Amino acid sequence: YTLFVNGQEVGEGGTQGMLLHAAQNNTLTLPIEVEHGALLSAAGKALLSGGEIAARIHGRLVVRLKGGDLTVPLDLSGHLTNAS
């Protein structure tokens, strides 16, 4: 999956070996390695002044099941702030 800020790619991440338990709530952690120079370039003054920044995570998750793999599209959007 890839992290975009103000439409510009600033980082990416991936997971392996997460175990999901049937009939239970599961928490997914999506670690992202951020390129700080790209983040500063994309966010500009908003990052330094505490303003809101448009962010989006786009990619796919692959769930491995007995009967075969299930690909789940991932497209999350929101805003980052200094309080995040």
Side-chain angles (χ1 to χ4, degrees):
Y1 45 87
T2 305
L3 172 64
F4 296 89
V5 169
N6 289 334
Q8 184 176 335
E9 183 177 330
V10 299
E12 61 185 16
T15 61
Q16 287 185 348
M18 295 177 67
L19 184 60
L20 303 178
H21 301 280
Q24 295 181 17
N25 288 335
N26 293 272
T27 301
L28 299 178
T29 303
L30 302 174
I32 300 171
E33 189 170 320
V34 175
E35 295 179 36
H36 293 280
L39 179 60
L40 286 172
S41 173
K45 294 180 183 178
L47 184 64
L48 300 174
S49 67
E52 285 194 353
I53 303 161
R56 178 176 170 221
I57 297 175
H58 181 75
R60 63 187 175 96
L61 300 175
V62 178
V63 181
R64 303 213 184 277
L65 303 170
K66 265 185 173 178
D69 293 352
L70 173 66
T71 301
V72 180
L74 183 65
D75 196 1
L76 307 170
S77 60
H79 291 87
L80 302 175
T81 65
N82 256 355
S84 298

